[in-house]
Amino acid sequence: MTVDGTTAGPERVGPDVLRTLFLFESLDDDKLGWLAAHGRVERRTAGEAVYTQGDPATCFFVLLEGTVVMRRRVEDHELEIIRTSQRGAYAGATQAYVRTPEPLPYSASMEAVTDAALLALDADEFAVEIRTWFPMAMHLLEGLFVGMRSSNEIVAQRERLLSLGRLTAGLTHELNNPAAAAVRATATLRERFAAMRHKLASLADGKLDADTLIRLTDVQEEAVARLASAPELSPLETSDAEDELTDWLDEHEVANGWELAATLVAAGLDTGWLDRVAAAVPRTHLGGGLRWVTYTLETEMLLNEIDDTTGRISALVGAAKQYSQMDRAPRQDIDVHEGLKSTLVMLGAKLRPGVTVVKDLDRTLPRIPAYPGELNQVWTNLVENAVQAMGGQGALTVRTARDGEHVLVEIGDTGPGVPAELRSRIFEPFFTTKPVGEGTGLGLDISYRIVVQRHRGDLRVESVPGDTRFQVRLPLHDT
């Protein structure tokens, strides 16, 4: 093509040349004349920048000849967006005609691959003229850009709030069970302490000599020691053992012996132990002595239950703290397994009873630089999607491995799979296969941006019916 110009002043392009570009081919002579008068030709040699991302967007560029490449910087890494030699391709201040509170910067960088010529139009002048030429179109475009930006922000915020609400509800449910158990155990424990005091008073009424009381105390200590290592019996074995102890207690005229049998069996005690107690305690005090020992065993069991439930509460709080990354720097060297573990704990209510969690973890993986709080959001989205895809019934697989210079985290499910025609769209914002009202379509989009843009990693899906795997690859080192 021929670029018309003069020897003095900026190089210009004539209306006839502009009419050959697809962008301007439908404009009338007056509009082409304005473009020819106000546009100037700017030339770049191979490797020279046309404009740089982040600088004020002052010019609208149209490619006249040559090849250019557009790149976008994400953190410290540059991604190539497009490479083109098509005449009429445009870039730069492409949204200058949209009224914004402050000037917009260039959203990417452009560089000449070969020697190139571009038509440059000052953004401010071009914006005023475009709004004059196409007033209705400008109203529609402004509504589109501003409306989409606003709706994206609102829906994304809503997505985060919904996710937080689901996690809060699940955590509350998880905390309620051990807390309620601890309250019940504490109330029962108070009753057992009262019974122990009463029974001890009746044993120490003067009719029981000191040596017998000491032997009974030794029996009590032995029973408590055996409780710590008591074997776990099947329901049938437990029933048979309780029947055997009940028969022994009835033969030795211990009133309501069946009430004691369950506790004694749970502590791992048998008729041999009862025989030793009978030999150490006078028959008149055998029932009272056994009841006193049983109260002690029940007290120990209740204390163990309280210890277990409060430990579960502490573990849940610890998982919540790790999940939210409270009191931690936003970017740090992390073990990906810690975030996966805390996420599974936080989502525990959704993983029961029909979901089986299968873990295939490579514990030799090194720590990697990452934003752990953001990755936990990714694990949450992927696990929730997997559970929903399976309808709450199936196997959820969490796998970690090393893949070259990356850590691979794989979340798999046994659901129906993602159809081939939808796999290229599942990471698009607002795209969802869920029924209306059950999803915003932003979960995978947010996950993709966190993995790819924030961590310079990779997120993809492999799927066949019964085996769907979302694969997250995170670099081992900062790049």
Side-chain angles (χ1 to χ4, degrees), residues 287-308:
L290 286 175
R291 200 166 294 276
W292 180 53
V293 172
T294 302
Y295 288 153
T296 302
L297 292 172
E298 289 178 340
T299 300
E300 287 293 321
M301 292 177 184
L302 290 168
L303 288 173
N304 290 340
E305 183 178 352
I306 292 172
D307 182 64
D308 177 66

Side-chain angles (χ1 to χ4, degrees), residues 173-174 177 347-355 392:
H173 175 78
E174 293 292 327
N177 288 338
L347 297 176
K350 293 190 174 186
L351 303 179
R352 296 192 301 265
V355 177

Side-chain angles (χ1 to χ4, degrees), residues 429-446:
F430 303 108
F431 178 77
T432 179
T433 58
K434 300 173 186 175
V436 175
E438 292 189 13
T440 62
L442 286 178
L444 289 177
D445 169 58
I446 292 172

Side-chain angles (χ1 to χ4, degrees), residues 37 45 77 117 196 225 246 258 352 356 360 383 403 428 464 470 478:
T45 58
H77 185 70
M196 284 178 64
T246 299
W258 58 271
R352 296 192 301 265
T356 301
D360 180 12
V383 170
D403 186 7
E428 295 178 6
V464 295
F470 281 86
D478 282 320

Side-chain angles (χ1 to χ4, degrees), residues 51-83:
Y51 58 81
T52 302
Q53 178 179 344
D55 290 347
T58 57
C59 283
F60 179 83
F61 292 95
V62 181
L63 183 63
L64 299 174
E65 61 184 31
T67 301
V68 295
V69 62
M70 187 179 295
R71 297 187 179 93
R72 179 169 296 169
R73 186 176 62 255
V74 180
E75 297 290 336
D76 298 324
H77 185 70
E78 285 199 344
L79 302 176
E80 182 173 319
I81 300 173
I82 189 171
R83 181 182 295 251

